[in-house]
Amino acid sequence: MSSSSTSIMDNLFQRSLEDLIKGFRLQLLGESNFISRALEEIRREIKVTDLSTKSTALHKLSYLAALHGVDMSWAAFHAVEVVSSPRFQHKRIGYQAITQSFHEQTSVLLLITNQVRKDLNSANEYEVSLALECLSRIGTHDLARDLTPEVFTLLGSSKAFVKKKAIGVVLRVFEKYPDAVKVCFKRLVENLESSDPQILSAVVGVFCELATRDPGSCLPLAPELYKVLVDSRNNWVLIKVLKIFAKLASIEPRLGKKVAEPICEHMRRTVAKSLVFECIRTVVSSLSDHEAAVKLAVAKIREFLVEDDPNLKYLGLNALSIVAPKHLWAVLENKEAVVKALSDEDPNVKLEALHLLMSMVNEDNVSEISRILMNYALKSDPLFCNEIIFSVLSACSRNAYEIIVDFDWYVSLLGEMARIPHCQRGEEIEHQLIDIGMRVRDARPQLVRVSWALLIDPALLGNLFLHPILSASAWVSGEYVEFCKNPYETVEALLQPRTGLLPPSIRAVYIHSAFKVLVFCLRSYFSAEESTLSFSAQEFSSASSSMNAFTYESILNLVNVIELGLGPLSGTHDVEVQERAKNVLGYIGMIKQELAEKLNLQDNETEVFRVTAFMEDVFSEELGPVSATAQEKVCVPGGLELKENLGDLEEICGEFLKPVESDSVSDTDKISFSVSKLRIRDQQEASSSSSPPHEASSLLAEHRKRHGMYYLPSQKDDPDNNGTPNDYPLANELANEISPDPFNPKKKPNQSKQRPVVVKLEEGDESRNPPQAKLDIETVNDDEYLSRAIQSALLVKNKGKEKDKHETNLNSGQHEKDESSRIEDQQNSEKKKKKKKKKKNGERSSKHKSRGRNVVASASEQVIIPDYLL
Amino acid sequence: MIGCFGRRYDMLDNIHFVLLVSRQGKVRLTKWYSPYAQKERSKVIRELSGVILNRGPKLCNFVEWRGYKVVYKRYASLYFCMCIDQEDNELEVLEIIHHYVEILDRYFGSVCELDLIFNFHKAYYILDELLIAGELQESSKKTVARIISAQDQLVEVAKEEASSISNIIAQATK
């Protein structure tokens, strides 16, 4: 009695959902406080046995979960209780809570199977609809399997309201329980001929999704769908049918010819933009070989582009970008509209326009388009500005700068980009500056000029994003110093005090470049001196002018400037900077004495001369691009097992693969791998014979010893090494070997327009794309089971009638693969269905005649499309 | 699990979810047709309302988001958002949104945000009649209105029975 009286109190004084919402709007507690209060109340109310109290509590909880993100998974069981109420309003609340909060792992899911079945069989169509909606959202494999008979019955319901929902649910059931296809597919297909537009819409929607997953499985239905395409005037239905045909046409090109005309007809006829757009998209994506259709579609795109509606403009650009790869003329025709869209308010539209513009870049218009884009980049917001810069950079560098003819222009463009205030693409520009330097000999003078301008630009030093560009500029100035007009100024720029703003790694590049310039200057000075001795006076002047006319004073001055600039850096904390600075200072220390003593350095035997000549040798080795596959070209020496199972490795020495601790170093002496035993010995001996290792080098040796098999072969045991003192093949050698036309050092640009030689490696220059086909196959696997089921369902329908056709029907690889399993399926289901089949066949064949007239034209052309259902 | 085209292969739905957000960023309705965990849901709502509410009035009604497209439209102070796949038809979804708003309008008699706040569940039921498994199932406004009012009547009758005090007492003293 006491419990029932509290239940009365609860029921009478319970806050309804409306009270809760009102309270929420008036509350002063703060949102989270109010919610936790309400939750407390709900937790109490939901435990009461009275179903109306319980359902109200659940209702409130659903509200809080939907709008305020409150967790309601704890109430799963209560939702099941509420659903079992005989009252419609309780049921409705219960089902809503279930669809909202249940997922595959909800443990009480098993408990609702019977309730859902009961409701699916209910005489009240609204209860049926609740159950169907619930199934469409949370249907699991088990639920789908257990309820397939009910869904099958409902598919034949006389009430359109129930039938269309059942069709909607079928999709979920098929997905979770593909065997249901055998049972339900026929009824589903029959509905394609329904006169009720709602039913037709629902069933076309199902096939649309099935076709998205596996177009092959819907191919046999092409005749029915074609009929819908021609006859229907319902835009919702047509859009879905178009989507299906877009998928089907991509796997069966002959279908495209058939549907192109009706699609064009719709495009001309309809005023609904959504349908026009779907037609356009179908044509440009799947029927791009049909000239007339594409022309019409492009004309329609044009109409979209000139509209004021930003939606249509965006979609028009979108469609253009789909058509661009195959029909560039479509983009060129609309170039003005595209360029105009670059200044649109909407970032989406701008981005789409940019992508389009980049798709039409070629040799002839690259400079014009880049000019336009650079102007836009200057005006745009940072985000779009960088998007522009990135697009230009990637379009121009594509395939080893394929579209660039005038490299002087392009290098200047890179320089300009660096000066755009919002530019953040420093790393990409850095990479290209160096890359061009290495690949394009003729571009080097201009590269050095641009680099010099960048180095002395005060704005760049302060911009963090542009530091990589400065690093590249410094490297270029040092590496190609022979093209430099005034090395003295270069050194000054490299050692300017503001370089302190740069990160140490880049400062190191600066110092090293200064070193290269110094060596170059000294060398030039000496060779000039030599020539004064050996040649006549007239020749002296010409020789010295070509060597920048270094005088004794200017050299001495240069040395002093460098010494002054680097002096403070010898005590810096960064090791790299310190090391580089010390290198240069050490070199200067070596030469300065003699330089100061002798005014005329006529003697080639002096220390200065020797050292300088040596250093120049070091720097004169030219760098070239390295193929991405260079590593693969290094032959694997015999006896090195690269493919041995590494799992075993872990088993054998699992404990040693843990991170090294310095104490444990001595223990590891005992380790040896079966494969690399010999090599390890070698290394051990080598390392022990050399000077006693420091800690760092011993760790390195240790690492090499353990993971020796991953190291490149060292000179000693590499049989393919041809005696060069390097451990690895020189980049340039590789490049020259591979390049079909190694560049000729004497070659001068004859005309400014002629494209200079660009060193291009045959393969592996671009990062290789992952094989696309592989990915497709993987995704298909997901759906394989479902599509197999559909195929077998289709076959079952035609069993006995078109048996001989089967062989020709196996048009896709998948069909063949699945053949054996499908035949089994057939045999199983054949027995069950024999009786039904016989009746059905009679009906079917009579239909065949009547329909023949309508579709015969389309059907007879499509040899591969089996008319299973005819 | 995200497929190689950004499509989630564990679902077939046309529309992945529906969101109603007010101009102030308050959520008025959420409906998820694709599996999203509660945490993910809150994140999605936060992310999207941040993007959409900040868009100016003259921009297009589509936003690219995590490999999907979100189609939104503003009616008075409310933003109606639906998330679809890349290859779905944006204009069609705009029409579905408009359709939904028209049905709401007809049901509430010139609908306003307050109607939806206090009749949050009604908005749900109407949406359920419009879409099933993320697909449009009923394109006739009249039919939806008829179905909804029939269900309302069903509830009203039951309520009258249940809420009469005598009934409650009878139940309690059983």
Side-chain angles (χ1 to χ4, degrees):
Chain A
M1 186 64 204
S2 70
S3 77
S4 58
S5 65
T6 52
S7 142
I8 296 177
M9 297 307 279
D10 275 336
N11 196 347
L12 283 176
F13 298 105
Q14 186 184 23
R15 289 206 287 177
S16 68
L17 176 61
E18 199 173 342
D19 297 333
L20 180 78
I21 297 170
K22 272 187 190 146
F24 210 98
R25 292 170 65 78
L26 298 172
Q27 49 91 9
L28 300 166
L29 294 167
E31 202 168 283
S32 60
N33 270 339
F34 184 84
I35 290 175
S36 58
R37 273 266 194 83
L39 269 178
E40 240 169 71
E41 207 174 83
I42 288 168
R43 272 177 200 277
R44 205 176 56 240
E45 290 164 3
I46 211 164
K47 290 194 188 106
V48 172
T49 47
D50 175 47
L51 275 176
S52 75
T53 313
K54 198 189 270 295
S55 67
T56 307
L58 189 65
H59 203 188
K60 289 192 286 188
L61 184 60
S62 316
Y63 170 82
L64 290 177
L67 299 194
H68 300 283
V70 170
D71 174 51
M72 64 179 292
S73 55
W74 56 271
F77 183 71
H78 301 293
V80 175
E81 286 179 309
V82 170
V83 163
S84 64
S85 160
R87 291 230 166 82
F88 178 71
Q89 83 263 34
H90 298 164
K91 251 189 215 314
R92 184 145 84 160
I93 290 166
Y95 272 123
Q96 197 199 329
I98 287 177
T99 51
Q100 199 178 327
S101 64
F102 278 28
H103 49 85
E104 303 252 321
Q105 280 78 42
T106 305
S107 52
V108 294
L109 200 60
L110 293 170
L111 301 177
I112 65 168
T113 312
N114 273 326
Q115 187 58 45
V116 174
R117 179 178 292 137
K118 217 174 112 196
D119 289 330
L120 285 177
N121 289 325
S122 161
N124 182 341
E125 58 181 332
Y126 300 113
E127 286 181 2
V128 179
S129 125
L130 286 179
L132 282 172
E133 260 155 25
C134 173
L135 196 56
S136 81
R137 268 295 287 113
I138 60 151
T140 57
H141 173 80
D142 290 351
L143 272 175
R145 184 194 57 215
D146 296 341
L147 298 173
T148 296
E150 277 74 21
V151 173
F152 173 74
T153 317
L154 291 173
L155 277 177
S157 166
S158 56
K159 294 172 188 158
F161 172 67
V162 171
K163 195 169 175 179
K164 74 173 187 226
K165 288 203 179 190
I167 293 171
V169 170
V170 156
L171 202 55
R172 177 89 186 190
V173 175
F174 282 4
E175 180 196 10
K176 294 292 172 190
Y177 179 62
D179 285 345
V181 174
K182 281 184 219 149
V183 184
C184 303
F185 200 70
K186 189 159 53 86
R187 280 210 171 160
L188 200 60
V189 173
E190 281 165 10
N191 284 317
L192 272 178
E193 281 153 31
S194 167
S195 54
D196 184 333
Q198 301 308 330
I199 304 261
L200 187 59
S201 164
V203 74
V204 169
V206 172
F207 284 119
C208 179
E209 288 297 336
L210 289 179
T212 311
R213 298 212 132 192
D214 176 28
S217 63
C218 289
L219 202 53
L221 297 173
E224 279 86 352
L225 293 167
Y226 180 81
K227 194 161 176 286
V228 176
L229 177 70
V230 175
D231 294 346
S232 177
R233 284 293 173 270
N234 181 324
N235 290 345
W236 304 103
V237 172
L238 284 173
I239 287 174
K240 295 260 186 271
V241 173
L242 283 169
K243 276 190 197 302
I244 300 176
F245 276 113
K247 292 284 182 301
L248 296 190
S250 60
I251 60 162
E252 176 48 87
R254 275 167 298 181
L255 199 54
K257 213 193 289 173
K258 211 64 229 169
V259 294
E261 193 36 49
I263 291 177
C264 289
E265 194 49 48
H266 283 305
M267 235 187 305
R268 284 187 212 106
R269 168 190 69 82
T270 185
V271 286
K273 293 282 189 242
S274 54
L275 182 56
V276 174
F277 180 63
E278 197 57 50
C279 290
I280 292 174
R281 186 133 69 177
T282 308
V283 170
V284 296
S285 60
S286 300
L287 306 174
S288 52
D289 300 329
H290 300 266
E291 206 59 48
V294 172
K295 281 223 170 85
L296 181 62
V298 171
K300 289 285 173 188
I301 291 176
R302 204 186 179 83
E303 285 174 25
F304 274 30
L305 289 176
V306 297
E307 292 263 1
D308 281 334
D309 185 346
N311 289 340
L312 297 183
K313 212 183 286 175
Y314 171 75
L315 293 177
L317 292 172
N318 203 325
L320 266 191
S321 66
I322 301 175
V323 83
K326 277 199 176 168
H327 300 275
L328 200 59
W329 57 268
V331 188
L332 294 172
E333 252 178 31
N334 294 297
K335 195 175 155 194
E336 271 171 46
V338 174
V339 170
K340 208 174 140 217
L342 275 179
S343 48
D344 201 276
E345 279 178 80
D346 192 333
N348 289 353
V349 174
K350 285 199 287 191
L351 217 54
E352 206 65 46
L354 176 62
H355 293 159
L356 264 176
L357 215 50
M358 291 333 290
S359 72
M360 60 173 147
V361 168
N362 61 27
E363 270 179 36
D364 303 322
N365 61 16
V366 60
S367 77
E368 183 202 346
I369 289 180
S370 304
R371 176 74 24 235
I372 294 170
L373 286 177
M374 283 304 116
N375 286 336
Y376 276 105
L378 280 169
K379 292 184 284 189
S380 330
D381 55 303
L383 199 68
F384 189 55
C385 168
N386 282 298
E387 203 61 51
I388 291 180
I389 293 175
F390 179 70
S391 304
V392 174
L393 285 173
S394 51
C396 291
S397 65
R398 199 183 303 137
N399 208 1
Y401 309 94
E402 200 175 35
I403 56 168
I404 304 292
V405 175
D406 184 356
F407 273 89
D408 287 357
W409 164 80
Y410 185 58
V411 169
S412 315
L413 183 75
L414 289 177
E416 257 177 69
M417 281 180 191
R419 292 203 176 75
I420 293 173
H422 294 309
C423 177
Q424 295 174 356
R425 296 282 177 184
E427 276 171 32
E428 183 58 28
I429 296 177
E430 172 197 26
H431 171 252
Q432 292 199 7
L433 283 173
I434 294 175
D435 200 36
I436 292 174
M438 292 194 296
R439 286 178 196 266
V440 194
R441 180 166 285 239
D442 293 340
R444 286 174 193 167
Q446 176 67 10
L447 201 58
V448 171
R449 275 193 290 279
V450 168
S451 299
W452 154 248
L454 290 173
L455 283 177
I456 57 167
D457 192 328
L460 266 53
L461 271 168
N463 187 341
L464 206 64
F465 294 109
L466 303 182
H467 285 170
I469 303 178
L470 289 176
S471 166
S473 303
W475 182 82
V476 166
S477 314
E479 187 66 25
Y480 305 116
V481 60
E482 64 264 31
F483 301 109
C484 188
K485 280 224 180 70
N486 190 339
Y488 183 77
E489 281 180 357
T490 305
V491 167
E492 270 191 331
L494 288 172
L495 297 176
Q496 59 184 299
R498 288 190 77 218
T499 54
L501 294 167
L502 294 167
S505 58
I506 296 176
R507 278 198 105 176
V509 177
Y510 267 65
I511 296 167
H512 201 59
S513 295
F515 193 12
K516 287 178 186 167
V517 176
L518 173 64
V519 170
F520 171 77
C521 293
L522 283 171
R523 185 73 189 140
S524 319
Y525 174 66
F526 292 142
S527 44
E529 289 287 312
E530 266 178 75
S531 54
T532 18
L533 296 173
S534 49
F535 295 103
S536 64
Q538 301 133 293
E539 274 173 302
F540 166 65
S541 61
S542 64
S544 68
S545 71
S546 75
M547 291 302 171
N548 295 305
F550 291 110
T551 60
Y552 176 72
E553 283 74 27
S554 70
I555 287 291
L556 210 57
N557 200 1
L558 187 69
V559 172
N560 285 334
V561 165
I562 294 177
E563 203 176 14
L564 199 70
L566 295 184
L569 293 180
S570 62
T572 184
H573 288 300
D574 187 82
V575 279
E576 183 70 19
V577 173
Q578 195 193 48
E579 180 119 344
R580 298 278 184 192
K582 289 243 173 168
N583 278 346
V584 185
L585 289 172
Y587 174 73
I588 289 177
M590 251 156 78
I591 58 163
K592 208 179 176 193
Q593 190 69 30
E594 288 186 58
L595 207 59
E597 279 170 10
K598 296 190 184 173
L599 280 173
N600 279 324
L601 296 154
Q602 303 134 335
D603 191 2
N604 328 11
E605 296 308 311
T606 52
E607 184 74 0
V608 190
F609 191 86
R610 273 197 312 108
V611 171
T612 309
F614 175 71
M615 283 315 296
E616 203 198 10
D617 274 355
V618 170
F619 290 140
S620 65
E621 193 66 59
E622 197 171 282
L623 296 170
V626 181
S627 162
T629 57
Q631 178 77 60
E632 290 167 19
K633 295 203 164 62
V634 182
C635 295
V636 180
L640 182 64
E641 287 283 345
L642 285 176
K643 287 181 179 157
E644 188 162 290
N645 192 352
L646 290 179
D648 297 347
L649 194 74
E650 206 162 341
E651 226 167 80
I652 298 165
C653 50
E655 54 180 307
F656 299 113
L657 290 177
K658 285 174 207 155
V660 195
E661 277 158 41
S662 49
D663 310 17
S664 67
V665 166
S666 59
D667 300 343
T668 55
D669 283 344
K670 294 164 202 156
I671 315 160
S672 58
F673 302 139
S674 56
V675 218
S676 48
K677 213 178 201 168
L678 284 172
R679 295 184 31 118
I680 292 166
R681 289 277 159 73
D682 267 3
Q683 241 101 57
Q684 272 173 327
E685 277 157 23
S687 64
S688 61
S689 68
S690 65
S691 60
H694 295 279
E695 189 173 17
S697 61
S698 78
L699 275 176
L700 187 65
E702 206 55 52
H703 186 268
R704 186 163 189 142
K705 190 168 21 166
R706 288 169 171 219
H707 305 287
M709 51 166 55
Y710 307 121
Y711 276 77
L712 277 176
S714 74
Q715 185 193 347
K716 243 182 281 177
D717 13 32
D718 187 356
D720 300 301
N721 200 303
N722 40 14
T724 47
N726 301 43
D727 271 2
Y728 49 87
L730 278 174
N732 269 332
E733 276 173 29
L734 258 183
N736 289 343
E737 260 170 46
I738 300 156
S739 157
D741 177 23
F743 53 56
N744 177 2
K746 278 167 198 157
K747 197 187 165 196
K748 295 273 175 206
N750 303 330
Q751 296 171 350
S752 59
K753 269 293 130 192
Q754 196 182 355
R755 188 166 191 264
V757 178
V758 180
V759 179
K760 191 178 165 189
L761 308 176
E762 263 178 359
E763 47 176 325
D765 215 356
E766 303 287 304
S767 60
R768 277 172 297 175
N769 299 326
Q772 199 64 45
K774 272 267 158 66
L775 282 175
D776 288 344
I777 289 166
E778 271 167 36
T779 57
V780 165
N781 275 346
D782 274 359
D783 311 324
E784 206 175 340
Y785 197 44
L786 178 55
S787 55
R788 199 186 295 171
I790 293 172
Q791 276 156 18
S792 67
L794 283 165
L795 277 174
V796 165
K797 293 159 79 64
N798 296 275
K799 188 76 182 160
K801 191 175 143 202
E802 306 211 1
K803 214 173 187 175
D804 51 335
K805 264 198 179 177
H806 283 171
E807 293 312 309
T808 49
N809 292 338
L810 303 171
N811 47 355
S812 75
Q814 212 182 340
H815 289 226
E816 275 159 343
K817 198 169 58 192
D818 301 335
E819 193 176 12
S820 58
S821 64
R822 193 179 47 224
I823 286 170
E824 278 170 31
D825 286 352
Q826 274 168 229
Q827 283 164 349
N828 291 340
S829 48
E830 199 189 349
K831 284 171 200 158
K832 290 183 217 157
K833 292 197 158 187
K834 239 173 193 168
K835 277 187 181 174
K836 240 185 227 170
K837 214 70 262 181
K838 272 183 188 166
K839 241 191 270 172
K840 210 64 211 173
N841 275 346
E843 279 173 35
R844 276 290 176 195
S845 52
S846 65
K847 255 185 196 169
H848 175 47
K849 279 176 206 156
S850 63
R851 187 140 31 109
R853 259 168 262 132
N854 288 337
V855 203
V856 80
S858 68
S860 61
E861 290 291 312
Q862 305 148 7
V863 182
I864 293 182
I865 300 171
D867 299 347
Y868 285 127
L869 302 163
L870 290 179
Chain B
M1 190 191 87
I2 305 284
C4 65
F5 304 114
R7 188 185 162 87
R8 297 168 77 118
Y9 272 90
D10 54 350
M11 57 204 186
L12 286 162
D13 313 312
N14 181 3
I15 294 166
H16 298 308
F17 55 79
V18 178
L19 286 183
L20 259 68
V21 187
S22 78
R23 212 179 42 196
Q24 290 79 28
K26 295 260 185 223
V27 185
R28 296 303 180 207
L29 184 141
T30 59
K31 176 92 189 174
W32 308 86
Y33 293 100
S34 305
Y36 285 91
Q38 188 74 53
K39 235 190 198 161
E40 223 179 320
R41 293 179 184 182
S42 317
K43 203 173 150 212
V44 168
I45 293 170
R46 228 177 311 125
E47 228 173 82
L48 271 182
S49 47
V51 174
I52 288 171
L53 299 183
N54 286 326
R55 282 173 67 85
K58 279 185 193 157
L59 309 186
C60 71
N61 294 91
F62 321 123
V63 180
E64 305 221 1
W65 172 81
R66 294 195 197 173
Y68 299 104
K69 273 187 199 144
V70 176
V71 178
Y72 72 94
K73 191 155 168 74
R74 185 177 160 178
Y75 288 90
S77 58
L78 271 184
Y79 286 85
F80 290 69
C81 319
M82 292 188 181
C83 173
I84 54 170
D85 283 323
Q86 289 286 355
E87 62 264 37
D88 283 329
N89 190 323
E90 296 89 341
L91 294 174
E92 183 196 14
V93 177
L94 268 184
E95 278 175 40
I96 293 178
I97 292 177
H98 188 69
H99 203 60
Y100 181 45
V101 174
E102 279 187 330
I103 295 171
L104 287 175
D105 206 46
R106 186 181 282 226
Y107 182 82
F108 289 107
S110 78
V111 66
C112 67
E113 196 181 338
L114 272 183
D115 287 325
L116 296 184
I117 293 173
F118 285 108
N119 295 289
F120 141 94
H121 50 295
K122 296 270 174 60
Y124 257 104
Y125 300 146
I126 294 175
L127 189 61
D128 280 344
E129 291 309 323
L130 197 65
L131 300 173
I132 189 162
E135 297 272 354
L136 182 81
Q137 59 158 334
E138 182 56 69
S139 53
S140 152
K141 280 167 253 172
K142 230 202 260 164
T143 315
V144 174
R146 186 173 51 74
I147 293 166
I148 292 292
S149 64
Q151 295 187 29
D152 282 349
Q153 263 168 14
L154 213 60
V155 173
E156 280 311 314
V157 173
K159 236 186 212 159
E160 273 167 30
E161 273 175 36
S163 62
S164 65
I165 300 253
S166 59
N167 233 339
I168 295 172
I169 293 169
Q171 213 182 4
T173 51
K174 248 196 286 203

